[in-house]
Amino acid sequence: MERKDSNTVNALLGLLSICPMSGYDIRQVIPFSIGHFWSESYGQIYPALKRMTAEGLISKKTKRDKGKPVRHEYSLTEAGRDRLRAWLESPAQRSPIRNELLLKLFFGGQVGTEASRRHIEAALAAEEKTLQVYEATEQQIRREQANDPQLPYWLMTLNLGRHCSRATIAWCRETLMELDRLAELNRQ
Amino acid sequence: MERKDSNTVNALLGLLSICPMSGYDIRQVIPFSIGHFWSESYGQIYPALKRMTAEGLISKKTKRDKGKPVRHEYSLTEAGRDRLRAWLESPAQRSPIRNELLLKLFFGGQVGTEASRRHIEAALAAEEKTLQVYEATEQQIRREQANDPQLPYWLMTLNLGRHCSRATIAWCRETLMELDRLAELNRQ
DNA sequence: GGGTGCATGTAATGGGTTACATGATTCT
DNA sequence: AGAATCATGTAACCCATTACATGCACCC
């Protein structure tokens, strides 16, 4: 009975399929790659690399360059590549969502409308910033990874971020108006 | 030094602010209330209720109706209501997102375009179903909770769901076309 | 000498799901 | 008699973040 890999393992297999890296490298490239929809911390990465090595999914090369700290560089083995492909072919599961903003808004009637206003204004500002980051990232990878055959896939993932960001921004604006209307009603 | 409540506690405080309920009840109403953006399992609910009772945030009434199993009904105390309000006033934190679909799509270049197509078609179908559920829920609560002063807040949360669902559906359609284009390029 | 960046890792803690265990009642 | 539903709860396990611990190298 084979246990399913954790998605941390799958994410690392994917990242190492692009190029060999150390645990530190992996952490560093996440913000510029899968960071918009996935996160991993050192506390997950290093133990996962150890387990994956033991399982033969990746192999480790220790580099001792003069004047630099020891580096453990991991690369995919054939078994690792197979495992990655098998996971990529299998259906994706929806991860459960937990949205603290909505949780607060749902119970917003327990406090004044101003509290909800503040939350939504903060969310709006954050989302506008996020959207700008998406645009900037897109320009950057279009330039720097122009010839990479994987570029179209990266752009697709960014694009969902953009769609949802824009939808969220529109909702924030609508909702702020709706809150104004509610505040008006309460005043009368 | 006061430790921050877990969001499970906050969610339960919120739900119990609507009306007194048992742990079982709470689990049952989640799909019709905060279920679109929040989930809690029995394994979280019962221990949380115990801790909250010990802390004086809620009070427990045991009911032994003839012909029915024992029921533990919990209601907010004043301390609990204060705690809820304090949490509602404090800024909302963004929860980290983890999207398995995007993770698979990001590495889609490692396998054929058909794999990505399948994932996105499944996501599209699921999202269309979700959108229908939002519409149905909206109609239902507009009818059944027409006079509830909290109704506007509930509709706001549903509305973000609708916005994002529609955005996701549009993205799925775009992305399917883009995948067709890619497949075409690869064939040549 | 001190800060920053490279680099690796572990431990403590908490969040969260699933499966298990139990038992009454009600409906067929 | 047996299935479904009401109802409560625990234990095992996994997932994940944060903080901690260590140490070298490089630059100011």
Side-chain angles (χ1 to χ4, degrees):
Chain A
M1 195 62 100
E2 314 229 314
R3 294 209 50 267
K4 233 189 61 178
D5 287 330
S6 77
N7 271 333
T8 294
V9 169
N10 296 322
L12 297 191
L13 288 173
L15 288 172
L16 292 176
S17 81
I18 298 175
C19 67
M21 279 184 281
S22 69
Y24 188 82
D25 292 339
I26 289 174
R27 184 74 231 260
Q28 299 308 107
V29 301
I30 285 180
F32 307 104
S33 53
I34 59 175
H36 330 104
F37 53 85
W38 203 266
S39 68
E40 295 292 350
S41 58
Y42 287 128
Q44 292 270 100
I45 293 171
Y46 284 114
L49 289 172
K50 195 185 256 183
R51 274 180 285 132
M52 290 161 74
T53 307
E55 252 199 285
L57 300 175
I58 55 181
S59 67
K60 177 175 166 176
K61 259 185 211 152
T62 302
K63 294 196 170 176
R64 281 188 204 75
D65 292 329
K66 58 203 176 259
K68 278 192 180 171
V70 174
R71 248 178 82 83
H72 302 300
E73 211 175 71
Y74 297 90
S75 32
L76 279 196
T77 61
E78 264 316 299
R81 206 165 281 276
D82 288 347
R83 189 72 70 90
L84 172 61
R85 279 194 279 250
W87 171 72
L88 286 173
E89 298 275 359
S90 74
Q93 279 173 243
R94 311 244 264 171
S95 13
I97 9 102
R98 292 191 137 210
N99 187 321
E100 194 180 321
L101 173 71
L102 289 188
L103 193 58
K104 283 192 168 151
L105 187 60
F106 190 87
F107 300 115
Q110 299 291 321
V111 289
T113 52
E114 325 81 47
S116 298
R117 263 204 86 90
R118 278 201 311 278
H119 299 327
I120 293 177
E121 271 165 359
L124 175 57
E127 204 63 55
E128 281 172 335
K129 197 164 283 179
T130 303
L131 185 54
Q132 282 172 18
V133 172
Y134 289 149
E135 314 278 12
T137 308
E138 175 168 343
Q139 296 313 312
Q140 194 190 334
I141 65 172
R142 270 189 195 281
R143 245 184 294 117
E144 295 175 12
Q145 258 78 45
N147 304 320
D148 198 301
Q150 313 230 30
L151 179 63
Y153 291 94
W154 302 347
L155 292 177
M156 288 176 204
T157 65
L158 265 177
N159 205 26
L160 179 56
R162 280 225 311 269
H163 272 68
C164 287
S165 266
R166 278 197 233 104
T168 302
I169 288 170
W171 171 84
C172 285
R173 301 217 167 104
E174 270 180 44
T175 305
L176 285 173
M177 289 195 289
E178 171 71 4
L179 283 171
D180 286 344
R181 207 182 58 78
L182 271 187
E184 196 59 36
L185 281 177
N186 290 346
R187 213 170 297 133
Q188 284 161 4
Chain B
M1 196 62 103
E2 315 230 309
R3 294 207 53 267
K4 234 190 61 178
D5 288 331
S6 77
N7 271 333
T8 295
V9 168
N10 296 322
L12 298 190
L13 288 173
L15 289 172
L16 292 176
S17 80
I18 298 174
C19 67
M21 280 183 282
S22 69
Y24 188 80
D25 293 339
I26 289 173
R27 184 73 232 258
Q28 299 309 107
V29 301
I30 285 179
F32 306 104
S33 53
I34 59 175
H36 330 103
F37 52 86
W38 203 265
S39 68
E40 295 292 351
S41 58
Y42 287 128
Q44 293 270 99
I45 293 171
Y46 284 114
L49 289 172
K50 195 185 255 184
R51 275 180 284 133
M52 291 159 74
T53 307
E55 252 199 285
L57 301 176
I58 55 180
S59 68
K60 176 174 166 177
K61 258 185 210 150
T62 302
K63 293 197 169 175
R64 281 188 204 76
D65 291 330
K66 57 202 177 265
K68 279 190 179 171
V70 174
R71 246 179 84 82
H72 302 301
E73 211 175 70
Y74 297 90
S75 30
L76 279 197
T77 62
E78 265 316 300
R81 205 164 283 274
D82 288 347
R83 191 70 72 90
L84 172 62
R85 279 194 280 251
W87 172 72
L88 286 173
E89 298 276 359
S90 74
Q93 280 174 242
R94 313 244 266 171
S95 11
I97 9 102
R98 291 191 138 211
N99 188 322
E100 194 180 321
L101 173 71
L102 289 188
L103 192 58
K104 284 190 168 152
L105 187 60
F106 190 88
F107 300 116
Q110 299 291 320
V111 289
T113 53
E114 325 81 47
S116 299
R117 264 205 85 93
R118 277 201 312 277
H119 299 326
I120 293 178
E121 271 165 359
L124 175 57
E127 205 61 56
E128 280 173 335
K129 198 165 282 178
T130 303
L131 185 54
Q132 281 171 18
V133 171
Y134 289 150
E135 313 278 11
T137 307
E138 175 168 343
Q139 297 312 313
Q140 194 190 335
I141 64 171
R142 270 188 195 283
R143 246 183 292 116
E144 295 174 14
Q145 258 78 45
N147 303 320
D148 198 300
Q150 314 229 30
L151 178 63
Y153 291 94
W154 302 346
L155 293 177
M156 289 175 203
T157 64
L158 266 177
N159 205 25
L160 178 57
R162 280 225 309 270
H163 273 68
C164 289
S165 266
R166 277 196 235 106
T168 302
I169 289 170
W171 172 83
C172 285
R173 299 214 170 106
E174 271 179 44
T175 304
L176 286 173
M177 289 194 292
E178 171 70 4
L179 283 171
D180 286 344
R181 207 183 57 80
L182 272 186
E184 198 58 35
L185 281 177
N186 290 346
R187 213 168 298 132
Q188 284 159 5

